[in-house]
Amino acid sequence: MSETGAETRPLGRQLPDPTTASNVRYNPSLEELRELAADEETTTEFGSPSYVSEYRSRSSDRTKNTVDDEFTADDHALVDDAIDRAGDREMLCVDRLMGRHPDATFCCRLFVPVDHARIALAWANLFEPTDGREPDLYTVQDPDYDETAIRVLPDEGVTAVLGSDYTGEAKKSFLRLFMFRIKEQGGLGLHAGSKRVRVRDDDDELRTVGQVFMGLSATGKSTLTSHGCWLEEPEDASMLQDDVCGLLPTGSVAGSEGKGLFIKTIGLGEDEQPELYDAATDESAILENVAVDDDGTVHFDEDRYTSNSRAIVQRDCLESADEEIDLDRMDQVFFITRNPLMPPVAKLSEEQAAVAFMLGESIETSAGDPSRAGESIRVVGTNPFIIGPEGEEGNIFRDLIDELDVECYVINTGYLGEKSKDVGVEESVTILTEAARGRIEWTDDDRTSLTIPETVPGLDIEEYYVPDHVDDYDEAVAELRAERREYLEQFDELREEIKAAVY
């Protein structure tokens, strides 16, 4: 209630009504948006638009939400400013649907100044057109604001992105709240890719396996999710999602992005990632902060602006992308790491899987904090967008995988030891395929205290035994476990049986 006793309108409804406001262009076509952004475009050799932004990664250190952070009067004033400014200048308003699942579909409304139409163009290419329903979630992105601040009000479904022109802020503003809403329903939002694999088992019967991949940016999540696994009919592998999903209590995994993918392009090559390369070089792609010459020549191997160069690519340009975005059932989950003390793959118990979820071990990339790129980091759930106590997420994850009888693995897509042995895409994909077939023979290894493969068809797994590639392995792994135990102690909500399962 206001001081006068009148009921205060929800924040979303304080924004201009795009159907009547004279300063708002509502749901312009993609062609119109590209035309509005023409002054910023360099047209590539493929006929696609390329843009360079001032901000080239998320401003995570300037992001606050009302659940986890102290939200002061100044923070509320920033949100009010964003809403007020949306009514005072020429704006674009674009509505899109996030998700298709009947229990996980949200209408998202983005406001952005006309002068920054390229943000609306890129974002609109990730999600599907609305069906006319009222919006559930709102974001106002105002790059011209004199302060950089991202303020999130989860209960209101409102995000203000101020002072940043990075497209990833618009994308994640909605995906962050997608995951929050899934958790409110008793499920769990996952920063993960999902795929459906159909393979023959030892009895020569076709089996369908739902795989989910959890990993931070640049760990290979998109590569493994989109990879066709070199299968031939009737076997096949289809990508459903590559970034954010919602694990529902039923075991189904709801997708979020139905139209496009926001992929990293640095080092993108035709040999190892042919599908992603073909999609990124299609005229339907939109490049952001990619090295493009004035004549349109594209250099994916050059970090001219940032190593966090990106492309919005269309799902229908990926042969492995399925028409569906929802996974009927999650059968296997893979935690992607690049910890050099981890084997190419290990099979985890429910408690160990919850530990892997909480550790979220990886390396920092330019997508998160460019100043720390290359450093070892830990991010709960490999998910920088959690809202609410992180320890509770580990408990929820453990309960869900137990109830749903999900197989859990940790997979190393980096090096063993001091770059002694590289675990490449071919090795990782072989592991994923044989895990889906159920043909990996496992053994409990005393030295690593992990369940590791004894045999993997098509792979000489003995060459990848980690202790053979690490000097003073026992000392190094003991130190690693001590670090992990210390790290988990900070989460008061996390159950003790999970903390005790450190591997």
Side-chain angles (χ1 to χ4, degrees):
M1 302 289 286
S2 69
E3 294 180 359
T4 63
E7 186 174 347
T8 303
R9 285 191 301 162
L11 285 175
R13 293 184 60 189
Q14 294 178 33
L15 286 161
D17 180 345
T19 63
T20 59
S22 60
N23 69 311
V24 178
R25 302 189 192 189
Y26 183 44
N27 277 340
S29 68
L30 298 178
E31 292 76 17
E32 290 176 281
L33 289 173
R34 183 173 179 179
E35 185 176 341
L36 288 170
D39 289 347
E40 293 187 76
E41 176 180 329
T42 297
T43 305
T44 73
E45 59 190 295
F46 313 112
S48 58
S50 175
Y51 307 101
V52 177
S53 61
E54 179 181 356
Y55 281 69
R56 292 159 193 173
S57 63
R58 298 185 308 274
S59 299
S60 54
D61 59 335
R62 302 188 183 187
T63 302
K64 296 173 66 175
N65 72 72
T66 56
V67 174
D68 301 306
D69 303 296
E70 180 183 355
F71 228 69
T72 66
D74 289 341
D75 294 314
H76 285 287
L78 288 169
V79 178
D80 291 341
D81 273 358
I83 292 174
D84 290 344
R85 285 167 62 90
D88 292 339
R89 57 193 302 196
E90 192 175 7
M91 301 290 289
L92 296 167
C93 176
V94 181
D95 286 353
R96 286 292 186 268
L97 289 182
M98 179 170 54
R100 295 181 192 164
H101 195 284
D103 297 325
T105 298
F106 305 93
C107 181
C108 304
R109 175 165 288 177
L110 173 68
F111 284 91
V112 65
V114 170
D115 291 344
H116 298 278
R118 62 170 180 79
I119 298 173
L121 173 64
W123 179 81
N125 271 278
L126 292 169
F127 301 98
E128 295 174 294
T130 181
D131 55 6
R133 70 183 72 185
E134 289 298 307
D136 303 291
L137 307 171
Y138 305 80
T139 293
V140 181
Q141 184 160 357
D142 187 349
D144 300 321
Y145 200 74
D146 56 9
E147 177 183 349
T148 302
I150 293 85
R151 297 295 179 263
V152 187
L153 292 86
D155 293 331
E156 294 265 17
V158 172
T159 302
V161 177
L162 297 168
S164 172
D165 63 342
Y166 181 52
T167 299
E169 294 286 11
K171 169 186 160 79
K172 290 301 184 184
S173 70
F174 293 106
L175 293 177
R176 181 189 291 115
L177 295 182
F178 173 89
M179 291 189 281
F180 180 70
R181 294 286 190 260
I182 296 296
K183 186 163 61 172
E184 288 184 319
Q185 297 178 22
L188 197 63
L190 301 177
H191 184 218
S194 62
K195 73 191 300 181
R196 185 182 59 242
V197 184
R198 292 191 182 97
V199 289
R200 291 194 183 279
D201 59 19
D202 284 334
D203 297 323
D204 204 35
E205 297 290 332
L206 274 179
R207 63 184 296 195
T208 300
V209 179
Q211 294 183 333
V212 168
F213 303 90
M214 299 182 63
L216 291 171
S217 298
T219 57
K221 177 161 57 71
S222 293
T223 300
L224 297 183
T225 304
S226 64
H227 203 288
C229 298
W230 303 296
L231 297 171
E232 297 181 2
E233 292 186 352
E235 294 185 317
D236 68 79
S238 300
M239 183 205 69
L240 304 181
Q241 288 288 278
D242 104 309
D243 192 20
V244 168
C245 307
L247 175 59
L248 301 175
T250 59
S252 61
V253 181
S256 57
E257 294 168 288
K259 193 168 184 288
L261 309 175
F262 191 51
I263 67 168
K264 282 181 70 73
T265 61
I266 193 70
L268 183 63
E270 192 170 8
D271 293 335
E272 278 208 334
Q273 299 169 284
E275 283 201 64
L276 292 178
Y277 180 86
D278 288 347
T281 55
D282 190 86
E283 64 179 357
S284 63
I286 300 171
L287 306 188
E288 181 172 272
N289 300 321
V290 174
V292 179
D293 297 338
D294 291 341
D295 65 0
T297 303
V298 177
H299 304 277
F300 288 129
D301 59 347
E302 183 183 328
D303 59 353
R304 184 180 305 175
Y305 304 110
T306 174
S307 58
N308 189 35
S309 52
R310 295 279 180 165
I312 291 87
V313 301
Q314 296 304 287
R315 287 176 58 89
D316 58 16
C317 289
L318 290 166
E319 185 178 348
S320 66
D322 198 82
E323 292 183 3
E324 300 298 322
I325 66 171
D326 300 326
L327 185 62
D328 290 339
R329 173 181 163 77
M330 183 172 82
D331 299 297
Q332 299 176 335
V333 59
F334 295 85
F335 296 95
I336 305 174
T337 185
R338 292 202 166 177
N339 189 313
L341 295 177
M342 287 292 98
V345 66
K347 193 172 186 179
L348 307 174
S349 68
E350 286 90 351
E351 284 73 23
Q352 286 177 323
V355 170
F357 178 92
M358 291 300 300
L359 292 175
E361 287 181 337
S362 189
I363 55 171
E364 182 60 270
T365 71
S366 53
D369 185 348
S371 66
R372 297 179 57 202
E375 294 182 19
S376 296
I377 58 169
R378 295 186 174 110
V379 178
V380 174
T382 62
N383 182 5
F385 313 102
I386 290 173
I387 297 175
E390 293 175 320
E392 285 184 1
E393 299 245 335
N395 298 335
I396 294 170
F397 180 80
R398 190 257 175 240
D399 290 344
L400 285 171
I401 61 171
D402 180 34
E403 183 176 343
L404 299 170
D405 194 25
V406 177
E407 297 175 5
C408 300
Y409 307 86
V410 59
I411 184 168
N412 181 359
T413 59
Y415 291 90
L416 308 183
E418 292 296 323
K419 296 192 175 182
S420 170
K421 187 73 171 176
D422 181 20
V423 185
V425 173
E426 182 175 353
E427 289 82 3
S428 295
V429 171
T430 298
I431 289 168
L432 299 179
T433 306
E434 296 308 321
R437 289 186 172 128
R439 292 179 180 171
I440 298 178
E441 295 182 2
W442 300 93
T443 183
D444 294 330
D445 183 68
D446 291 336
R447 191 167 182 194
T448 62
S449 298
L450 290 168
T451 301
I452 61 174
E454 189 168 21
T455 62
V456 179
L459 187 63
D460 189 355
I461 197 64
E462 291 183 359
E463 293 185 4
Y464 296 85
Y465 187 55
V466 181
D468 293 343
H469 298 277
V470 180
D471 294 334
D472 302 318
Y473 170 80
D474 298 317
E475 180 181 340
V477 80
E479 182 178 342
L480 173 63
R481 288 175 187 145
E483 289 176 3
R484 287 170 168 172
R485 291 189 187 97
E486 182 179 1
Y487 174 79
L488 293 180
E489 282 303 321
Q490 68 182 293
F491 303 106
D492 295 335
E493 301 87 357
L494 187 65
R495 296 178 194 146
E496 290 302 320
E497 60 266 29
I498 296 175
K499 294 180 181 180
V502 165
Y503 52 86

